[in-house]
Structures are given as C-alpha cells and as structure tokens.
C-alpha cells in the first residue's frame, strides 16, 4: 500500500469514528488543567519551550493552537504567525527573522508555520530556488541543534490531513462568511499541487527528522482527536512538575466610607439579547 493510499484509508476510518463533542470537551478540560500546570512550571523553572506546527492548508494548525491557548496566559504562551517577509528580510539569512521570536526564560512559543516555509510553500510555489531549498534542508538541523543546546525544548508537529477532508474544509470556508478570510489566493493555488507538497514533505522529513529534533505526525482528519492527541503528546515531552502555591482566599471588601453611586447618566449598550 502506498503512503497516499494509507492516508486515504485512515481518512475513511476516521470518518466513521469521529469523537463526540461531549467526550472531546471533557478530555480537553482535563488537558487544560495540565497546560496551566505547565505554564506555572515554565515561569517557576525559567524553562523555554518552542513548538512548531506545520501541515497543508486546512490541516487544523490554527484550531489546535487555539485549543492549547484558550485557558492560559498569552504572555506565557506566545503565538507567532509571521506575515510574508519584507524586502529587507528577504536579504537576511533565511532563519534570521524567526530567531527573535524564540522563547526567553519563562515563555512558550507556538509557531503557526515556521522556518519550514522554505521547505514547503516557498519551494512548491516557486518563491525560492531549488538550490536555496536544498541549502536550507542541509543547514536547519544545525540551527535546531544550536537552539536545543541553548536550553530550548523544541517540538515539531506535522498535521496530516487527507485529500477528501482537506477539500471538505476548504469548501466550508468558501460557503461560510465567518471562515472566508481563511481562504487566500495562495491556498487556492496550493490546493491543486497536492503531490508537489507530498514530495516536498517527504524530502523535508528525510533531511530534518533528526534524533535531537524529530518530527511528530498527527493524523488530523478528526480535528477533535487530533487536538487531544497532540496536546497529550506535547505534555509527555515537557518535564513539568506541580509548583507549590498558597491557598487562595478572597480578602474582605473595603467599607464604602461615604461613597455614593454617581447620578451621571451612563451610556449603556442596548440589551438586544
């Protein structure tokens, strides 16, 4: 069985085994508690964590990141989604514009696409030369080795979506006014080049799936399962422990000491709901 056929089989199986919303919310709430513990530990220990999310358009990267961050502090869990490079940035060493966003002590950085743009969209869509892509693939394991040697916990996730599920999700973006902003002209151009992306992905894995910075693949046809599986796996790869904390008790409110509510009329928002 070929890689692509295997992925289509997985897609068909997932279609019949989608996780219920009730089970998903219950498990996600449990994982959120652990993510809060991670947050407290990172600050307490001065740890540095960097998580890279890659995958095709519609694979579920944004939704997975949102599931991770919805109950934690954005000052600790920092999401980085860089726009297209400026003319100045195009002249820099390729990874240079990503380096300032790496975490400092007490921070977790989540890259919604990363320096691996060069191995994926830039290579497939012709924004870089074949030589530039090959140079990147040779050099990035060394850069990641340096990142890890600086004390950063680096985790790399590829979200793998099947052809039929990707089509369904992109068509949903076209029909839904709430999602249309997610569909760019680049997404449409990329959609037709499925196998070019497959070849680029395979070469990227071959060159950069190293012992010190391995790639972890998340099957994402079922978004709920993908999010839970990814978060659970991430937690097992972070050596966090419970941080002691004092029991919280609300203090007594101060007495009014002559304060009276103002007579000034307030501009209340109309209560339409």
């Amino acid at each position: 069985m070929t890689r692509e056929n295997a992925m289509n089989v997985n897609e068909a199986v997932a279609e019949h085994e989608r996780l219920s919303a009730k089970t998903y919310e219950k498990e996600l709430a449990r994982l959120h508690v652990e993510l809060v513990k991670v947050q407290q530990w990172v600050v307490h220990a001065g740890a540095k964590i960097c998580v890279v999310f890659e995958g095709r358009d519609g694979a579920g990267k944004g939704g997975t990141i949102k599931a991770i961050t919805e109950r934690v502090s954005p000052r600790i869990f920092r999401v980085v989604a860089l726009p297209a490079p400026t003319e100045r940035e195009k002249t820099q060493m390729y990874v240079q514009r990503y380096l300032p966003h790496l975490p400092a002590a007490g921070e977790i950085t989540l890259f919604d696409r990363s320096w691996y743009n060069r191995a994926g969209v830039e290579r497939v869509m012709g924004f870089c030369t074949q030589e530039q892509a090959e140079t990147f693939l040779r050099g990035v394991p060394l850069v990641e080795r340096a990142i890890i040697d600086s004390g950063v916990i680096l985790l790399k996730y590829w979200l793998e979506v099947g052809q039929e599920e990707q089509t369904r999700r992109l068509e949903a973006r076209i029909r839904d006014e709430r999602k249309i902003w997610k569909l760019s002209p680049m997404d449409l151009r990329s959609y037709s080049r499925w196998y070019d992306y497959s070849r680029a992905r395979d070469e990227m894995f071959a060159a950069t799936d190293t012992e010190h910075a391995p790639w972890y693949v998340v099957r994402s046809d079922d978004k709920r399962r993908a999010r839970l599986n990814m978060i659970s796996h991430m937690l097992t790869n972070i050596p966090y422990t419970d941080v002691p904390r004092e029991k919280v008790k609300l203090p007594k409110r101060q007495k009014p000491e002559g304060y009276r509510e103002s007579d000034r009329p307030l501009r209340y928002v109309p209560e339409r709901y």
Side-chain angles (χ1 to χ4, degrees):
M1 181 180 290
T2 66
R3 179 192 296 267
E4 297 299 337
N5 285 338
M7 290 176 183
N8 288 337
V9 169
N10 290 331
E11 179 180 272
V13 171
E15 181 66 33
H16 296 289
E17 299 179 353
R18 295 204 184 272
L19 198 65
S20 70
K22 182 178 180 180
T23 300
Y24 170 70
E25 292 296 341
K26 179 180 178 181
E27 286 302 304
L28 185 60
R30 182 182 65 81
L31 293 174
H32 279 159
V33 172
E34 297 304 311
L35 288 169
V36 170
K37 292 180 182 179
V38 168
Q39 174 176 278
Q40 294 172 321
W41 173 78
V42 164
V43 174
H44 177 78
K48 300 178 287 186
I49 300 174
C50 178
V51 188
V52 169
F53 292 86
E54 293 290 344
R56 304 175 194 270
D57 298 319
K61 299 179 293 297
T64 301
I65 292 172
K66 186 178 293 185
I68 293 171
T69 58
E70 64 178 308
R71 297 292 182 177
V72 292
S73 170
R75 292 186 295 275
I76 309 302
F77 282 77
R78 299 166 51 248
V79 178
V80 177
L82 296 185
T86 64
E87 291 303 314
R88 179 178 182 274
E89 288 171 335
K90 290 177 182 178
T91 68
Q92 296 176 339
M93 180 177 70
Y94 181 73
V95 298
Q96 185 173 339
R97 75 186 190 116
Y98 294 96
L99 297 180
H101 299 280
L102 290 173
E107 294 178 350
I108 300 171
T109 300
L110 309 177
F111 278 97
D112 186 351
R113 294 199 184 278
S114 65
W115 46 89
Y116 281 102
N117 273 341
R118 172 131 295 183
V121 63
E122 291 191 13
R123 185 179 196 180
V124 172
M125 303 308 296
F127 296 134
C128 70
T129 66
Q130 183 68 14
E131 181 181 0
Q132 287 174 322
E134 292 173 356
T135 299
F136 168 81
L137 291 175
R138 287 195 303 270
V140 76
L142 301 177
V143 174
E144 291 176 350
R145 177 78 268 177
I147 290 171
I148 293 167
D149 287 347
S150 75
V152 174
I153 297 173
L154 176 62
L155 298 171
K156 303 186 304 191
Y157 290 97
W158 174 273
L159 275 64
E160 184 63 54
V161 64
Q163 292 188 54
E164 291 183 12
E165 180 62 16
Q166 186 197 42
T167 298
R168 189 190 68 78
R169 292 178 186 177
L170 296 183
E171 287 179 342
R173 293 180 182 180
I174 295 172
R175 295 190 303 268
D176 192 334
E177 291 292 334
R178 300 169 300 172
K179 298 179 180 180
I180 192 64
W181 63 271
K182 293 184 177 182
L183 195 63
S184 69
M186 183 60 62
D187 295 336
L188 297 176
R189 290 172 57 195
S190 300
Y191 174 79
S192 65
R193 307 190 69 171
W194 177 274
Y195 293 103
D196 287 341
Y197 273 98
S198 294
R199 282 185 280 269
R201 174 202 59 199
D202 293 348
E203 290 185 32
M204 181 186 76
F205 284 170
T208 64
D209 182 25
T210 59
E211 287 299 317
H212 61 273
W215 277 104
Y216 298 108
V217 179
V218 183
R219 283 195 287 262
S220 66
D221 280 357
D222 185 331
K223 289 182 179 181
R224 292 168 182 162
R225 289 187 188 277
R227 292 167 188 171
L228 297 180
N229 288 332
M230 183 269 141
I231 296 171
S232 178
H233 183 272
M234 183 181 74
L235 291 170
T236 65
N237 282 275
I238 299 174
Y240 70 101
T241 57
D242 287 348
V243 176
R245 54 182 178 180
E246 296 182 2
K247 187 176 180 179
V248 178
K249 183 179 180 181
L250 291 176
K252 293 182 179 179
R253 292 190 192 274
Q254 65 178 154
K255 295 180 180 180
E257 298 179 349
Y259 172 78
R260 294 172 54 191
E261 293 288 345
S262 172
D263 294 330
R264 186 177 186 277
L266 301 177
R267 304 176 193 272
Y268 284 106
V269 170
E271 296 184 357
R272 297 177 180 176
Y273 302 96

